[in-house]
Amino acid sequence: MSRLTCYFIFVIHFYNVNTANILGLFSHTGKSHHMVFEPLLLKLAERGHNLTVASFFPAINPPPNYHEINFQGLYELRLESFDLSALENTNIFKKIPRLGSITSQVLQFQPFVTASLGICEKLTHFAPLLEALKGDYDVVLLENFTSDCMLGLLYAYGKSAPIVYMLSGTPMPWTSERIGADDNPSYVPLITAPFSSQMTLMDRLENTLLNIILKEWYYYEIQTKEKYILEKKFGKIQDLRELGKNISLMLTNSYHTLNGVKPVLPGMVEVGGLHLSSKREPLPPFIKKFLNDSSDDGVILFSFGSHIKTKSLPKYKEQIFVHALSKLKQRVIWKYEDSDEEGSLAGNILRVKWLPQYDLLRHEKIIAFISHGGLLGMTEAMAAGKPMIIIPIFGDQHSNAAAAVEAGVGIVVSYEDLNEDTLSNALKTVISDTMRKHTSLVSKIWADRDISPLDKAVFWTEHVIRWGKSTHLHSTARNLTFYQLSLLDVAAIIIFTITSLLIATIYLIYKMIHIFKKDTKEKLL
Ligand SMILES: *[C@@H]1O[C@H](CO)[C@@H](O)[C@H](O)[C@H]1NC(C)=O
Ligand SMILES: *[C@@H]1O[C@H](CO)[C@@H](O)[C@H](O)[C@H]1NC(C)=O
Ligand SMILES: *[C@@H]1O[C@H](CO)[C@@H](O)[C@H](O)[C@H]1NC(C)=O
Ligand SMILES: CC(=O)N[C@H]1CO[C@H](CO)[C@@H](O)[C@@H]1O
């Protein structure tokens, strides 16, 4: 190819991508979800694309080619709203080993039904969104979590733009099958389950049952009800489960070094870490001073993230933390909303209202992280190479934690059975030299990639813009039925054939023995 052709191809290609009109639809109300995708949206804008973004979290100082539709006020935001005291006496099946685990994993999704349907109902009447849906777009970016309302809306408006699904964590039980990615429950733990990829027979039984139950739950509790809401306003629309198969690409906020190795397809791109910025902001002076004044033993960071209300921690549990932490040589910084502006210091523990988590994790004085297992915080700790104690509470946290343990960068401490001894032992391990060295090694492997996660997300989004609506990144597994995919029909034929042969052989042998016996009897007579 001549240099000139190259140049032209470059120009055409650049021009082509440069003019893309991008629609981003993010109707989830958790801030942490949006934080993952905003860097991609801003990067796409920086590359000259024309963005229209609908979300609950407007960007700060967006560029002129970044147009926003603000969902704020449509629904209550989930910021520091999760009340830990609700966990004290919930599920009545809790005491029954497997049943308790299965029911609580299904039940924890129930609040999402109300939220997703409530949002769907409001969105179908939200004029700014409906106005934006009239525009022409080259690609639509969607967050997928617990709703497919947007898919139905796009369908109702006859939008044929290709769709890029963004997952703020590892895939939900009902997402992999959309593009035909394998989620074989024998070694792919469900996002809600506390399993690593190595499961016992009973774990696999639980994992398999939940895999089936949650897919059907989603179909009947969410997709069918959302379809009903949409049809009230727009008339007949296609089945949302079918519409889900028309997406072109999935970006998942995970990376196998931290989240475990799972089968991925070309259409399932792991971009875990895309929200991390290499920029560092100066630390608040009082935190800086606290770090500076600490000894060489280092400091431990403790945060339950942006969604959990720390002060809802029952007093007796708070005391367990305080006792275990005050015995340490290390100092502790604890994110605790109910503290003074300048932090509340007691002994070696500084409680702060808010903390610049990633900046702190990268600070050389911070040696370990106590976390609830939120994926963003864990990704940050992984990037910074700091080992973690994980106290998973709900949602994907149990599986995030199990994967981190498998990777050797975390220790799980149960929230339900929290006590001073287990916590103290976990602290001892996590600040040990062995664990810190290993985590630092895994962190380097995690960071060693062909291309940065943000550039990767940009590349694949533009790939979809260039090649339009097509499913060339999917596998045909998505069109197979359950029995075809699990080869139950083939197994049936094999088992039938073998059994028939076996029966025939036994029958023949029996017959021959019979004839032989008759023969000898006749001879003897
Ligand atoms: C960019 O998007 C905005 C808002 O959706 C739209 O009004 C405008 O016409 C678009 N610009 C171009 C050049 O397509
Ligand atoms: C989904 O894709 C299939 C196959 O490409 C196509 O026949 C169908 O019309 C699409 N449905 C929608 C709603 O785009
Ligand atoms: C922290 O300590 C270093 C030297 O140990 C000193 O130069 C710096 O001014 C101190 N910063 C603060 C905020 O106390
Ligand atoms: C396409 C899609 O499923 N989008 C959904 C992703 O999750 C959010 C949060 O629940 C929904 O509101 C979106 O509609």
Side-chain angles (χ1 to χ4, degrees), residues 4 75 77 132 168-169 221 237 263 280 322 362 381 385 405 496 502:
L4 197 65
Y75 212 81
L77 294 185
S168 55
E221 280 298 288
I237 66 163
R280 284 184 191 226
V322 172
R362 283 180 290 177
V405 172
F496 178 76
L502 217 61

Side-chain angles (χ1 to χ4, degrees), residues 405-422:
V405 172
E406 202 173 19
V409 301
I411 299 176
V412 176
V413 172
S414 152
Y415 176 79
E416 274 89 19
D417 313 321
L418 187 74
N419 70 50
E420 219 177 299
D421 284 340
T422 46

Side-chain angles (χ1 to χ4, degrees), residues 21 50 52 67 137:
N21 252 324
N50 187 33
T52 309
H67 314 274
Y137 301 97

Side-chain angles (χ1 to χ4, degrees), residues 27-28 116 142-151 165:
S27 56
H28 188 58
S116 298
L142 282 184
E143 193 207 345
N144 177 263
F145 187 54
T146 55
S147 154
D148 280 311
C149 186
M150 290 291 193
L151 279 184
Y165 251 27

